[in-house]
Amino acid sequence: MTDLFTLDAETRTDLGKGASRRLRHANKVPAIIYGLGQEPVSITLAHNKVWRAQQEEAFYSHVLNINVDGKAVEVLIKDMQRHPHKELVMHMDFLRVDKNKAVHTNVPVHFINEENASKAGATLAHHVTEIAISCLPANLPEFIEVDLADIQVGQTLHLSDVKFPEGVTSDELAKGESHDQAVVTANAPKGKADDEEGEAEAEEAAE
């Protein structure tokens, strides 16, 4: 897995759509590295290595090492363009990172113990698949875990209910309580909810 986080690259000076097309025909991926107040650098990567790495979820939320002409650069993926029909990565954007400066990125959410909610008769509604976070590169998690072991039917867990790893904060929560987004809801089964609503209406009519 560690090897997937290291990519070898070469700088390129032949730019433009025609040049990119030629690179793809040669099984190369055109890309760019930018950030940290430095000049952007156009590079090429081996497509087979990129294609293998991009199939791993951790690849998108991990600090990568790109060896550009033998010099290592630490980066995060900021954008990736894929061909709509072919197994082809068209272009990639990388953002330089500094180990002493916080990074802002999105990491995937992993929901665990979902079977507990199912046993209780709840139908889970996932409101997010990833969460925007800030942390130092060394603290960057591959995913955020949301434990549903104790969720109750009718309950909604928000960002404030999520246990973030040490050194990791939510970008949305940092904006204030009004940004406490819903993460997952344990809905009552539709039939059960309708029955309860009908019972309530019957009781009100009887009164």
Side-chain angles (χ1 to χ4, degrees):
M1 178 71 76
T2 302
D3 186 54
L4 296 178
F5 303 143
T6 300
L7 299 171
D8 293 323
E10 298 176 350
T11 55
R12 62 187 174 101
T13 56
D14 190 9
L15 307 178
K17 292 183 178 180
S20 295
R21 194 177 302 113
R22 288 191 292 273
L23 286 171
R24 296 184 191 109
H25 286 162
N27 294 316
K28 300 285 187 179
V29 180
I32 189 168
I33 300 176
Y34 63 93
L36 293 182
Q38 301 176 32
E39 287 294 320
V41 176
S42 296
I43 61 172
T44 59
L45 303 159
H47 187 272
N48 61 342
K49 185 69 180 290
V50 169
W51 185 258
R52 171 68 186 89
Q54 63 87 37
Q55 296 178 60
E56 301 293 336
E57 181 184 58
F59 185 67
Y60 303 91
S61 57
H62 198 283
V63 175
L64 310 175
N65 285 299
I66 297 185
N67 295 317
V68 183
D69 295 333
K71 183 179 179 180
V73 182
E74 292 190 331
V75 300
L76 287 174
I77 294 178
K78 295 305 291 183
D79 189 43
M80 179 186 293
Q81 299 173 23
R82 297 181 181 84
H83 192 281
H85 310 299
K86 302 177 182 178
E87 292 187 345
L88 181 66
V89 176
M90 304 286 287
H91 191 276
M92 301 179 75
D93 290 3
F94 297 100
L95 177 69
R96 296 185 186 94
V97 298
D98 183 332
K99 66 180 181 180
N100 298 312
K101 295 181 179 179
V103 296
H104 300 268
T105 190
N106 292 345
V107 294
V109 178
H110 284 191
F111 296 96
I112 63 172
N113 294 315
E114 291 188 326
E115 65 276 7
N116 290 40
S118 298
K119 289 177 181 177
T123 300
L124 294 173
H126 299 147
H127 303 300
V128 300
T129 57
E130 57 184 20
I131 295 176
I133 63 164
S134 297
C135 65
L136 290 175
N139 295 330
L140 185 62
E142 293 185 3
F143 54 84
I144 297 294
E145 199 170 76
V146 177
D147 193 347
L148 304 180
D150 299 320
I151 194 170
Q152 303 295 315
V153 175
Q155 181 183 6
T156 295
L157 297 183
H158 294 77
L159 286 174
S160 57
D161 299 309
V162 176
K163 184 177 181 181
F164 289 90
E166 184 176 355
V168 178
T169 59
S170 161
D171 285 355
E172 288 301 314
L173 286 180
K175 299 175 184 177
E177 293 183 6
S178 62
H179 291 266
D180 191 8
Q181 297 177 339
V183 174
V184 60
T185 298
N187 294 313
K190 186 171 180 58
K192 182 177 180 181
D194 291 343
D195 290 344
E196 291 176 351
E197 184 177 340
E199 290 176 5
E201 292 175 353
E203 290 176 1
E204 290 179 5
E207 293 175 357

